[in-house]
Amino acid sequence: MKGTRALPDTRKSEALHERALDLFPGGVNSPVRAFRAVGGTPRHIVSARGAILTDADGNELLDYVLGWGPMLLGHANPSVVEAVERQLRNGFLYGLSNPLEVELAERVRRFYPAAERLRFVASGTEATMAAIRVARAATGRDDIVKLDGCYHGHADGFLIKAGSGLQTFGIPDSAGVPTAVAAGTRVAKFNDLDSVKAAFELRPGSPPAALILEPVIGNMGVIAPEPEFLSSLRALCDRHGTLLVFDEVMTGFRIARGGAAERFGVRPDLVTLGKVIGGGLPVAAFGGRADLMKLVAPEGPVYQAGTYAGHPLAMAAGNATLAILESDSAIFRRVEARTGLLAAGLREILARRNVRGVVNSLGSMWTLFFGVDQVASADEARRADSKRYATVFQGLLERGVLLPPSAFESAFLSDAHTETEIDRTLEAADEAMEDLA
Ligand code: PLP
């Protein structure tokens, strides 16, 4: 197979990337789009429909990035397009409240009852920042605990890597994060209750304000919680008067109607949501117990605000998306079943080709890790072979299939991915893995 196929023409993407390099750091407006982890030319996309992206050169890509998660219904779903078009004609920024905010919040709460009250923001980063501010105000404590491998957006206090973090205080994972801010973040390990307990007890007599985690990690590739891990965290938080914050920006409205809270039967005190709730337009939210949300301005002393919060176009897209999920609740099972088919097919290829690797999947999130037999922690994910991932990424891209351009990001499936497309992906993956030999 190798060498006989014509490679796609990417000259227009290349030329655009050259111009972009002069304008943006790394030529991009969000780092992973630069393809640094996988090599090759970052594609510039000009349109998207269903499961397919079309790049500037006219190449079609079967999309497993799905805007990094939001596009559960696939791209340009007709009902969502129609709702946005309708709103567009009525103006698109009012600076005052609009009925679509109320409608969407009621929908979100029906799906996610732990969000007793909520507030819309424009990005997941804002949502996690605000949730932690509420937790600090409610408890009168400063420190938080985060888990290694979980990503909560790019606010200072979350950009902390574990390292030997348990016995020490947080070490910034990014330049420009003040040491004093990093010191307020204690890091523990996912799926390791003892490490979380140790982080809670790190400063004697001073338990943390909040424990924040992705209840299913999606930002180290997909890593599911072990049985009882989440419920043990709930009990630990209750013992210490610490607030449990589920960051369900990725998992909410994706791994089940009510996200990980529903799937694993654990109720957080505060939750952050995003991605799917905006149907591809910028919407996120933080919410939780009514007594905690009462602390938020103007009802309470925790300040938080946003010019684009509750943006009418985004609310229209969110409402149209959640209306579909409400009327066709089988979507979650359907997309999960197809994800299961894809994961099983990939496992079969790994076994048949004798390629060491593992496929993690949960709901419609999935990751292909090479060079390891299991991934249940961030440490295990880091041991995965990202060079092999890059080779397979390129092999698939040449065959018109787009995986996340990083070995440590979850891939997704949408309701627009049919079994035919899954078969096509498996054929391409089989060929791409031949390139590994
Ligand atoms: N939390 C989680 C779990 C995420 O996956 C992300 C983004 O991928 C964020 C927060 C940050 O969201 P945003 O990129 O909208 O700021």
Side-chain angles (χ1 to χ4, degrees), residues 62-98:
L62 179 50
D63 182 18
Y64 288 103
V65 177
L66 290 167
W68 301 98
M71 311 313 301
L72 177 61
L73 300 177
H75 295 284
N77 175 283
S79 305
V80 181
V81 171
E82 199 205 332
V84 174
E85 277 177 354
R86 202 177 327 118
Q87 181 55 41
L88 195 53
R89 283 190 292 273
N90 289 329
F92 39 84
L93 190 60
Y94 302 149
L96 293 179
S97 295
N98 70 82

PDB file of all heavy atoms in Angstrom, residues 62-98:
ATOM      1  N   LEU A  62     -13.290  12.802   7.283  1.00  0.00           N
ATOM      2  CA  LEU A  62     -14.259  12.218   8.212  1.00  0.00           C
ATOM      3  C   LEU A  62     -13.800  12.621   9.614  1.00  0.00           C
ATOM      4  O   LEU A  62     -12.694  12.290  10.038  1.00  0.00           O
ATOM      5  CB  LEU A  62     -14.267  10.700   8.012  1.00  0.00           C
ATOM      6  CG  LEU A  62     -15.177   9.862   8.883  1.00  0.00           C
ATOM      7  CD1 LEU A  62     -16.596  10.388   8.901  1.00  0.00           C
ATOM      8  CD2 LEU A  62     -15.156   8.418   8.382  1.00  0.00           C
ATOM      9  N   ASP A  63     -14.657  13.358  10.309  1.00  0.00           N
ATOM     10  CA  ASP A  63     -14.216  14.140  11.474  1.00  0.00           C
ATOM     11  C   ASP A  63     -14.480  13.431  12.799  1.00  0.00           C
ATOM     12  O   ASP A  63     -15.633  13.208  13.177  1.00  0.00           O
ATOM     13  CB  ASP A  63     -14.971  15.485  11.446  1.00  0.00           C
ATOM     14  CG  ASP A  63     -14.556  16.407  12.573  1.00  0.00           C
ATOM     15  OD1 ASP A  63     -13.484  16.179  13.156  1.00  0.00           O
ATOM     16  OD2 ASP A  63     -15.316  17.355  12.859  1.00  0.00           O
ATOM     17  N   TYR A  64     -13.407  13.108  13.515  1.00  0.00           N
ATOM     18  CA  TYR A  64     -13.547  12.566  14.873  1.00  0.00           C
ATOM     19  C   TYR A  64     -13.104  13.583  15.931  1.00  0.00           C
ATOM     20  O   TYR A  64     -12.963  13.233  17.082  1.00  0.00           O
ATOM     21  CB  TYR A  64     -12.753  11.260  15.005  1.00  0.00           C
ATOM     22  CG  TYR A  64     -13.412  10.118  14.250  1.00  0.00           C
ATOM     23  CD1 TYR A  64     -12.919   9.684  13.023  1.00  0.00           C
ATOM     24  CD2 TYR A  64     -14.543   9.499  14.762  1.00  0.00           C
ATOM     25  CE1 TYR A  64     -13.543   8.662  12.318  1.00  0.00           C
ATOM     26  CE2 TYR A  64     -15.171   8.468  14.071  1.00  0.00           C
ATOM     27  CZ  TYR A  64     -14.665   8.059  12.856  1.00  0.00           C
ATOM     28  OH  TYR A  64     -15.291   7.051  12.173  1.00  0.00           O
ATOM     29  N   VAL A  65     -12.860  14.829  15.499  1.00  0.00           N
ATOM     30  CA  VAL A  65     -12.527  15.889  16.460  1.00  0.00           C
ATOM     31  C   VAL A  65     -13.824  16.588  16.901  1.00  0.00           C
ATOM     32  O   VAL A  65     -14.025  16.878  18.072  1.00  0.00           O
ATOM     33  CB  VAL A  65     -11.540  16.904  15.852  1.00  0.00           C
ATOM     34  CG1 VAL A  65     -11.257  18.042  16.837  1.00  0.00           C
ATOM     35  CG2 VAL A  65     -10.238  16.219  15.462  1.00  0.00           C
ATOM     36  N   LEU A  66     -14.693  16.810  15.922  1.00  0.00           N
ATOM     37  CA  LEU A  66     -16.026  17.348  16.198  1.00  0.00           C
ATOM     38  C   LEU A  66     -15.983  18.622  17.048  1.00  0.00           C
ATOM     39  O   LEU A  66     -16.704  18.766  18.043  1.00  0.00           O
ATOM     40  CB  LEU A  66     -16.908  16.267  16.849  1.00  0.00           C
ATOM     41  CG  LEU A  66     -17.278  15.148  15.848  1.00  0.00           C
ATOM     42  CD1 LEU A  66     -17.858  13.945  16.560  1.00  0.00           C
ATOM     43  CD2 LEU A  66     -18.262  15.659  14.785  1.00  0.00           C
ATOM     44  N   GLY A  67     -15.098  19.533  16.598  1.00  0.00           N
ATOM     45  CA  GLY A  67     -14.985  20.814  17.301  1.00  0.00           C
ATOM     46  C   GLY A  67     -14.499  20.640  18.728  1.00  0.00           C
ATOM     47  O   GLY A  67     -14.766  21.485  19.573  1.00  0.00           O
ATOM     48  N   TRP A  68     -13.805  19.519  18.997  1.00  0.00           N
ATOM     49  CA  TRP A  68     -13.352  19.156  20.350  1.00  0.00           C
ATOM     50  C   TRP A  68     -14.523  18.827  21.254  1.00  0.00           C
ATOM     51  O   TRP A  68     -14.495  19.102  22.445  1.00  0.00           O
ATOM     52  CB  TRP A  68     -12.411  20.216  20.947  1.00  0.00           C
ATOM     53  CG  TRP A  68     -11.207  20.388  20.078  1.00  0.00           C
ATOM     54  CD1 TRP A  68     -11.025  21.359  19.146  1.00  0.00           C
ATOM     55  CD2 TRP A  68     -10.062  19.519  19.992  1.00  0.00           C
ATOM     56  NE1 TRP A  68      -9.826  21.158  18.491  1.00  0.00           N
ATOM     57  CE2 TRP A  68      -9.216  20.042  18.995  1.00  0.00           C
ATOM     58  CE3 TRP A  68      -9.675  18.355  20.673  1.00  0.00           C
ATOM     59  CZ2 TRP A  68      -7.999  19.444  18.641  1.00  0.00           C
ATOM     60  CZ3 TRP A  68      -8.474  17.765  20.335  1.00  0.00           C
ATOM     61  CH2 TRP A  68      -7.648  18.305  19.323  1.00  0.00           C
ATOM     62  N   GLY A  69     -15.569  18.281  20.670  1.00  0.00           N
ATOM     63  CA  GLY A  69     -16.643  17.717  21.492  1.00  0.00           C
ATOM     64  C   GLY A  69     -18.050  18.231  21.293  1.00  0.00           C
ATOM     65  O   GLY A  69     -19.008  17.471  21.440  1.00  0.00           O
ATOM     66  N   PRO A  70     -18.234  19.516  20.963  1.00  0.00           N
ATOM     67  CA  PRO A  70     -19.608  20.018  20.967  1.00  0.00           C
ATOM     68  C   PRO A  70     -20.560  19.391  19.947  1.00  0.00           C
ATOM     69  O   PRO A  70     -21.767  19.332  20.185  1.00  0.00           O
ATOM     70  CB  PRO A  70     -19.433  21.511  20.642  1.00  0.00           C
ATOM     71  CG  PRO A  70     -18.045  21.830  21.066  1.00  0.00           C
ATOM     72  CD  PRO A  70     -17.249  20.581  20.796  1.00  0.00           C
ATOM     73  N   MET A  71     -20.018  18.916  18.798  1.00  0.00           N
ATOM     74  CA  MET A  71     -20.898  18.592  17.680  1.00  0.00           C
ATOM     75  C   MET A  71     -21.495  17.177  17.795  1.00  0.00           C
ATOM     76  O   MET A  71     -21.359  16.348  16.899  1.00  0.00           O
ATOM     77  CB  MET A  71     -20.150  18.752  16.355  1.00  0.00           C
ATOM     78  CG  MET A  71     -19.397  20.072  16.196  1.00  0.00           C
ATOM     79  SD  MET A  71     -20.323  21.547  16.626  1.00  0.00           S
ATOM     80  CE  MET A  71     -21.686  21.446  15.520  1.00  0.00           C
ATOM     81  N   LEU A  72     -22.196  16.920  18.872  1.00  0.00           N
ATOM     82  CA  LEU A  72     -22.785  15.593  19.088  1.00  0.00           C
ATOM     83  C   LEU A  72     -23.769  15.217  17.984  1.00  0.00           C
ATOM     84  O   LEU A  72     -23.926  14.053  17.636  1.00  0.00           O
ATOM     85  CB  LEU A  72     -23.487  15.555  20.458  1.00  0.00           C
ATOM     86  CG  LEU A  72     -24.225  14.277  20.827  1.00  0.00           C
ATOM     87  CD1 LEU A  72     -23.294  13.070  20.870  1.00  0.00           C
ATOM     88  CD2 LEU A  72     -24.924  14.423  22.177  1.00  0.00           C
ATOM     89  N   LEU A  73     -24.437  16.223  17.416  1.00  0.00           N
ATOM     90  CA  LEU A  73     -25.410  15.934  16.348  1.00  0.00           C
ATOM     91  C   LEU A  73     -24.757  15.953  14.975  1.00  0.00           C
ATOM     92  O   LEU A  73     -25.437  15.779  13.969  1.00  0.00           O
ATOM     93  CB  LEU A  73     -26.542  16.973  16.377  1.00  0.00           C
ATOM     94  CG  LEU A  73     -27.342  17.037  17.672  1.00  0.00           C
ATOM     95  CD1 LEU A  73     -28.380  18.147  17.589  1.00  0.00           C
ATOM     96  CD2 LEU A  73     -28.011  15.700  17.966  1.00  0.00           C
ATOM     97  N   GLY A  74     -23.474  16.181  14.907  1.00  0.00           N
ATOM     98  CA  GLY A  74     -22.807  16.362  13.619  1.00  0.00           C
ATOM     99  C   GLY A  74     -22.840  17.830  13.236  1.00  0.00           C
ATOM    100  O   GLY A  74     -23.486  18.654  13.899  1.00  0.00           O
ATOM    101  N   HIS A  75     -22.135  18.153  12.170  1.00  0.00           N
ATOM    102  CA  HIS A  75     -22.023  19.554  11.753  1.00  0.00           C
ATOM    103  C   HIS A  75     -23.259  20.014  10.992  1.00  0.00           C
ATOM    104  O   HIS A  75     -23.843  19.257  10.219  1.00  0.00           O
ATOM    105  CB  HIS A  75     -20.804  19.728  10.840  1.00  0.00           C
ATOM    106  CG  HIS A  75     -19.498  19.456  11.546  1.00  0.00           C
ATOM    107  ND1 HIS A  75     -18.937  20.347  12.427  1.00  0.00           N
ATOM    108  CD2 HIS A  75     -18.662  18.391  11.501  1.00  0.00           C
ATOM    109  CE1 HIS A  75     -17.796  19.850  12.891  1.00  0.00           C
ATOM    110  NE2 HIS A  75     -17.609  18.666  12.343  1.00  0.00           N
ATOM    111  N   ALA A  76     -23.573  21.296  11.180  1.00  0.00           N
ATOM    112  CA  ALA A  76     -24.635  21.967  10.427  1.00  0.00           C
ATOM    113  C   ALA A  76     -25.943  21.189  10.447  1.00  0.00           C
ATOM    114  O   ALA A  76     -26.626  21.043   9.431  1.00  0.00           O
ATOM    115  CB  ALA A  76     -24.180  22.229   8.972  1.00  0.00           C
ATOM    116  N   ASN A  77     -26.294  20.684  11.618  1.00  0.00           N
ATOM    117  CA  ASN A  77     -27.598  20.014  11.760  1.00  0.00           C
ATOM    118  C   ASN A  77     -28.691  20.993  11.314  1.00  0.00           C
ATOM    119  O   ASN A  77     -28.719  22.144  11.764  1.00  0.00           O
ATOM    120  CB  ASN A  77     -27.791  19.622  13.229  1.00  0.00           C
ATOM    121  CG  ASN A  77     -29.153  19.032  13.479  1.00  0.00           C
ATOM    122  OD1 ASN A  77     -30.139  19.758  13.556  1.00  0.00           O
ATOM    123  ND2 ASN A  77     -29.206  17.723  13.575  1.00  0.00           N
ATOM    124  N   PRO A  78     -29.602  20.571  10.420  1.00  0.00           N
ATOM    125  CA  PRO A  78     -30.562  21.523   9.838  1.00  0.00           C
ATOM    126  C   PRO A  78     -31.399  22.270  10.870  1.00  0.00           C
ATOM    127  O   PRO A  78     -31.637  23.477  10.710  1.00  0.00           O
ATOM    128  CB  PRO A  78     -31.453  20.634   8.951  1.00  0.00           C
ATOM    129  CG  PRO A  78     -30.628  19.412   8.677  1.00  0.00           C
ATOM    130  CD  PRO A  78     -29.704  19.232   9.844  1.00  0.00           C
ATOM    131  N   SER A  79     -31.828  21.605  11.943  1.00  0.00           N
ATOM    132  CA  SER A  79     -32.653  22.324  12.936  1.00  0.00           C
ATOM    133  C   SER A  79     -31.840  23.382  13.651  1.00  0.00           C
ATOM    134  O   SER A  79     -32.361  24.463  13.987  1.00  0.00           O
ATOM    135  CB  SER A  79     -33.182  21.378  14.011  1.00  0.00           C
ATOM    136  OG  SER A  79     -33.871  20.339  13.454  1.00  0.00           O
ATOM    137  N   VAL A  80     -30.583  23.089  13.896  1.00  0.00           N
ATOM    138  CA  VAL A  80     -29.736  24.057  14.593  1.00  0.00           C
ATOM    139  C   VAL A  80     -29.458  25.241  13.666  1.00  0.00           C
ATOM    140  O   VAL A  80     -29.554  26.406  14.072  1.00  0.00           O
ATOM    141  CB  VAL A  80     -28.423  23.390  15.078  1.00  0.00           C
ATOM    142  CG1 VAL A  80     -27.559  24.409  15.821  1.00  0.00           C
ATOM    143  CG2 VAL A  80     -28.720  22.183  15.973  1.00  0.00           C
ATOM    144  N   VAL A  81     -29.168  24.934  12.406  1.00  0.00           N
ATOM    145  CA  VAL A  81     -28.917  26.002  11.424  1.00  0.00           C
ATOM    146  C   VAL A  81     -30.143  26.908  11.328  1.00  0.00           C
ATOM    147  O   VAL A  81     -30.036  28.141  11.380  1.00  0.00           O
ATOM    148  CB  VAL A  81     -28.578  25.404  10.035  1.00  0.00           C
ATOM    149  CG1 VAL A  81     -28.544  26.481   8.967  1.00  0.00           C
ATOM    150  CG2 VAL A  81     -27.252  24.654  10.091  1.00  0.00           C
ATOM    151  N   GLU A  82     -31.306  26.283  11.254  1.00  0.00           N
ATOM    152  CA  GLU A  82     -32.538  27.070  11.104  1.00  0.00           C
ATOM    153  C   GLU A  82     -32.762  27.975  12.320  1.00  0.00           C
ATOM    154  O   GLU A  82     -33.113  29.145  12.193  1.00  0.00           O
ATOM    155  CB  GLU A  82     -33.719  26.100  10.934  1.00  0.00           C
ATOM    156  CG  GLU A  82     -34.934  26.748  10.327  1.00  0.00           C
ATOM    157  CD  GLU A  82     -36.192  26.011  10.732  1.00  0.00           C
ATOM    158  OE1 GLU A  82     -36.105  24.784  10.991  1.00  0.00           O
ATOM    159  OE2 GLU A  82     -37.235  26.647  10.804  1.00  0.00           O
ATOM    160  N   ALA A  83     -32.517  27.419  13.516  1.00  0.00           N
ATOM    161  CA  ALA A  83     -32.725  28.212  14.741  1.00  0.00           C
ATOM    162  C   ALA A  83     -31.763  29.401  14.783  1.00  0.00           C
ATOM    163  O   ALA A  83     -32.157  30.514  15.164  1.00  0.00           O
ATOM    164  CB  ALA A  83     -32.520  27.327  15.969  1.00  0.00           C
ATOM    165  N   VAL A  84     -30.528  29.174  14.378  1.00  0.00           N
ATOM    166  CA  VAL A  84     -29.545  30.271  14.402  1.00  0.00           C
ATOM    167  C   VAL A  84     -29.906  31.318  13.347  1.00  0.00           C
ATOM    168  O   VAL A  84     -29.857  32.526  13.607  1.00  0.00           O
ATOM    169  CB  VAL A  84     -28.111  29.730  14.198  1.00  0.00           C
ATOM    170  CG1 VAL A  84     -27.110  30.872  14.083  1.00  0.00           C
ATOM    171  CG2 VAL A  84     -27.714  28.807  15.354  1.00  0.00           C
ATOM    172  N   GLU A  85     -30.311  30.852  12.171  1.00  0.00           N
ATOM    173  CA  GLU A  85     -30.698  31.799  11.106  1.00  0.00           C
ATOM    174  C   GLU A  85     -31.876  32.665  11.548  1.00  0.00           C
ATOM    175  O   GLU A  85     -31.903  33.874  11.328  1.00  0.00           O
ATOM    176  CB  GLU A  85     -31.072  31.034   9.831  1.00  0.00           C
ATOM    177  CG  GLU A  85     -29.857  30.672   9.010  1.00  0.00           C
ATOM    178  CD  GLU A  85     -30.218  29.838   7.774  1.00  0.00           C
ATOM    179  OE1 GLU A  85     -31.405  29.440   7.618  1.00  0.00           O
ATOM    180  OE2 GLU A  85     -29.299  29.571   6.998  1.00  0.00           O
ATOM    181  N   ARG A  86     -32.836  32.006  12.196  1.00  0.00           N
ATOM    182  CA  ARG A  86     -34.027  32.742  12.647  1.00  0.00           C
ATOM    183  C   ARG A  86     -33.617  33.827  13.645  1.00  0.00           C
ATOM    184  O   ARG A  86     -34.030  34.979  13.546  1.00  0.00           O
ATOM    185  CB  ARG A  86     -35.004  31.753  13.305  1.00  0.00           C
ATOM    186  CG  ARG A  86     -36.428  32.242  13.335  1.00  0.00           C
ATOM    187  CD  ARG A  86     -37.427  31.235  13.928  1.00  0.00           C
ATOM    188  NE  ARG A  86     -37.117  29.848  13.678  1.00  0.00           N
ATOM    189  CZ  ARG A  86     -36.855  28.935  14.639  1.00  0.00           C
ATOM    190  NH1 ARG A  86     -36.858  29.289  15.909  1.00  0.00           N
ATOM    191  NH2 ARG A  86     -36.602  27.681  14.325  1.00  0.00           N
ATOM    192  N   GLN A  87     -32.756  33.454  14.579  1.00  0.00           N
ATOM    193  CA  GLN A  87     -32.324  34.420  15.586  1.00  0.00           C
ATOM    194  C   GLN A  87     -31.503  35.546  14.964  1.00  0.00           C
ATOM    195  O   GLN A  87     -31.646  36.719  15.317  1.00  0.00           O
ATOM    196  CB  GLN A  87     -31.523  33.714  16.693  1.00  0.00           C
ATOM    197  CG  GLN A  87     -31.060  34.637  17.784  1.00  0.00           C
ATOM    198  CD  GLN A  87     -32.203  35.426  18.422  1.00  0.00           C
ATOM    199  OE1 GLN A  87     -33.286  34.876  18.665  1.00  0.00           O
ATOM    200  NE2 GLN A  87     -31.985  36.713  18.664  1.00  0.00           N
ATOM    201  N   LEU A  88     -30.679  35.168  13.973  1.00  0.00           N
ATOM    202  CA  LEU A  88     -29.807  36.138  13.308  1.00  0.00           C
ATOM    203  C   LEU A  88     -30.619  37.299  12.741  1.00  0.00           C
ATOM    204  O   LEU A  88     -30.242  38.468  12.841  1.00  0.00           O
ATOM    205  CB  LEU A  88     -29.065  35.403  12.186  1.00  0.00           C
ATOM    206  CG  LEU A  88     -27.859  36.024  11.539  1.00  0.00           C
ATOM    207  CD1 LEU A  88     -26.829  36.435  12.575  1.00  0.00           C
ATOM    208  CD2 LEU A  88     -27.230  34.999  10.582  1.00  0.00           C
ATOM    209  N   ARG A  89     -31.774  36.946  12.185  1.00  0.00           N
ATOM    210  CA  ARG A  89     -32.610  37.981  11.567  1.00  0.00           C
ATOM    211  C   ARG A  89     -33.241  38.905  12.613  1.00  0.00           C
ATOM    212  O   ARG A  89     -33.710  39.982  12.297  1.00  0.00           O
ATOM    213  CB  ARG A  89     -33.688  37.336  10.690  1.00  0.00           C
ATOM    214  CG  ARG A  89     -33.138  36.843   9.349  1.00  0.00           C
ATOM    215  CD  ARG A  89     -34.253  36.427   8.413  1.00  0.00           C
ATOM    216  NE  ARG A  89     -34.932  35.232   8.885  1.00  0.00           N
ATOM    217  CZ  ARG A  89     -34.543  33.987   8.612  1.00  0.00           C
ATOM    218  NH1 ARG A  89     -33.486  33.771   7.857  1.00  0.00           N
ATOM    219  NH2 ARG A  89     -35.202  32.954   9.083  1.00  0.00           N
ATOM    220  N   ASN A  90     -33.267  38.443  13.875  1.00  0.00           N
ATOM    221  CA  ASN A  90     -33.848  39.268  14.942  1.00  0.00           C
ATOM    222  C   ASN A  90     -32.785  40.051  15.715  1.00  0.00           C
ATOM    223  O   ASN A  90     -33.053  40.555  16.803  1.00  0.00           O
ATOM    224  CB  ASN A  90     -34.630  38.389  15.928  1.00  0.00           C
ATOM    225  CG  ASN A  90     -35.906  37.880  15.294  1.00  0.00           C
ATOM    226  OD1 ASN A  90     -36.491  38.553  14.447  1.00  0.00           O
ATOM    227  ND2 ASN A  90     -36.325  36.695  15.684  1.00  0.00           N
ATOM    228  N   GLY A  91     -31.601  40.117  15.151  1.00  0.00           N
ATOM    229  CA  GLY A  91     -30.510  40.786  15.865  1.00  0.00           C
ATOM    230  C   GLY A  91     -29.782  39.769  16.722  1.00  0.00           C
ATOM    231  O   GLY A  91     -30.338  38.731  17.063  1.00  0.00           O
ATOM    232  N   PHE A  92     -28.543  40.089  17.055  1.00  0.00           N
ATOM    233  CA  PHE A  92     -27.790  39.032  17.738  1.00  0.00           C
ATOM    234  C   PHE A  92     -26.993  39.454  18.957  1.00  0.00           C
ATOM    235  O   PHE A  92     -26.220  38.681  19.478  1.00  0.00           O
ATOM    236  CB  PHE A  92     -26.903  38.255  16.749  1.00  0.00           C
ATOM    237  CG  PHE A  92     -26.247  39.100  15.707  1.00  0.00           C
ATOM    238  CD1 PHE A  92     -25.073  39.761  15.973  1.00  0.00           C
ATOM    239  CD2 PHE A  92     -26.842  39.236  14.460  1.00  0.00           C
ATOM    240  CE1 PHE A  92     -24.484  40.541  15.005  1.00  0.00           C
ATOM    241  CE2 PHE A  92     -26.258  40.028  13.484  1.00  0.00           C
ATOM    242  CZ  PHE A  92     -25.071  40.685  13.743  1.00  0.00           C
ATOM    243  N   LEU A  93     -27.176  40.655  19.444  1.00  0.00           N
ATOM    244  CA  LEU A  93     -26.606  40.949  20.766  1.00  0.00           C
ATOM    245  C   LEU A  93     -27.421  42.070  21.374  1.00  0.00           C
ATOM    246  O   LEU A  93     -27.479  43.165  20.828  1.00  0.00           O
ATOM    247  CB  LEU A  93     -25.124  41.345  20.666  1.00  0.00           C
ATOM    248  CG  LEU A  93     -24.397  41.422  22.013  1.00  0.00           C
ATOM    249  CD1 LEU A  93     -24.419  40.087  22.746  1.00  0.00           C
ATOM    250  CD2 LEU A  93     -22.961  41.888  21.841  1.00  0.00           C
ATOM    251  N   TYR A  94     -28.074  41.774  22.503  1.00  0.00           N
ATOM    252  CA  TYR A  94     -29.014  42.749  23.059  1.00  0.00           C
ATOM    253  C   TYR A  94     -28.466  43.511  24.253  1.00  0.00           C
ATOM    254  O   TYR A  94     -28.945  44.581  24.592  1.00  0.00           O
ATOM    255  CB  TYR A  94     -30.315  42.051  23.485  1.00  0.00           C
ATOM    256  CG  TYR A  94     -31.020  41.306  22.367  1.00  0.00           C
ATOM    257  CD1 TYR A  94     -31.761  40.153  22.654  1.00  0.00           C
ATOM    258  CD2 TYR A  94     -30.983  41.740  21.047  1.00  0.00           C
ATOM    259  CE1 TYR A  94     -32.432  39.469  21.655  1.00  0.00           C
ATOM    260  CE2 TYR A  94     -31.654  41.053  20.046  1.00  0.00           C
ATOM    261  CZ  TYR A  94     -32.375  39.918  20.352  1.00  0.00           C
ATOM    262  OH  TYR A  94     -33.037  39.237  19.370  1.00  0.00           O
ATOM    263  N   GLY A  95     -27.536  42.913  24.971  1.00  0.00           N
ATOM    264  CA  GLY A  95     -27.037  43.571  26.181  1.00  0.00           C
ATOM    265  C   GLY A  95     -28.016  43.526  27.342  1.00  0.00           C
ATOM    266  O   GLY A  95     -27.727  44.018  28.423  1.00  0.00           O
ATOM    267  N   LEU A  96     -29.180  42.943  27.108  1.00  0.00           N
ATOM    268  CA  LEU A  96     -30.145  42.692  28.182  1.00  0.00           C
ATOM    269  C   LEU A  96     -30.564  41.231  28.068  1.00  0.00           C
ATOM    270  O   LEU A  96     -30.189  40.551  27.114  1.00  0.00           O
ATOM    271  CB  LEU A  96     -31.361  43.613  28.043  1.00  0.00           C
ATOM    272  CG  LEU A  96     -31.107  45.120  28.264  1.00  0.00           C
ATOM    273  CD1 LEU A  96     -32.405  45.914  28.069  1.00  0.00           C
ATOM    274  CD2 LEU A  96     -30.523  45.399  29.655  1.00  0.00           C
ATOM    275  N   SER A  97     -31.348  40.779  29.003  1.00  0.00           N
ATOM    276  CA  SER A  97     -31.738  39.358  28.999  1.00  0.00           C
ATOM    277  C   SER A  97     -32.625  39.029  27.805  1.00  0.00           C
ATOM    278  O   SER A  97     -33.276  39.910  27.227  1.00  0.00           O
ATOM    279  CB  SER A  97     -32.494  39.043  30.284  1.00  0.00           C
ATOM    280  OG  SER A  97     -31.620  39.202  31.382  1.00  0.00           O
ATOM    281  N   ASN A  98     -32.616  37.761  27.419  1.00  0.00           N
ATOM    282  CA  ASN A  98     -33.503  37.328  26.332  1.00  0.00           C
ATOM    283  C   ASN A  98     -34.143  35.991  26.707  1.00  0.00           C
ATOM    284  O   ASN A  98     -33.580  35.221  27.496  1.00  0.00           O
ATOM    285  CB  ASN A  98     -32.735  37.273  24.998  1.00  0.00           C
ATOM    286  CG  ASN A  98     -31.720  36.158  24.950  1.00  0.00           C
ATOM    287  OD1 ASN A  98     -32.054  35.014  24.681  1.00  0.00           O
ATOM    288  ND2 ASN A  98     -30.474  36.478  25.248  1.00  0.00           N
TER     289      ASN A  98
END
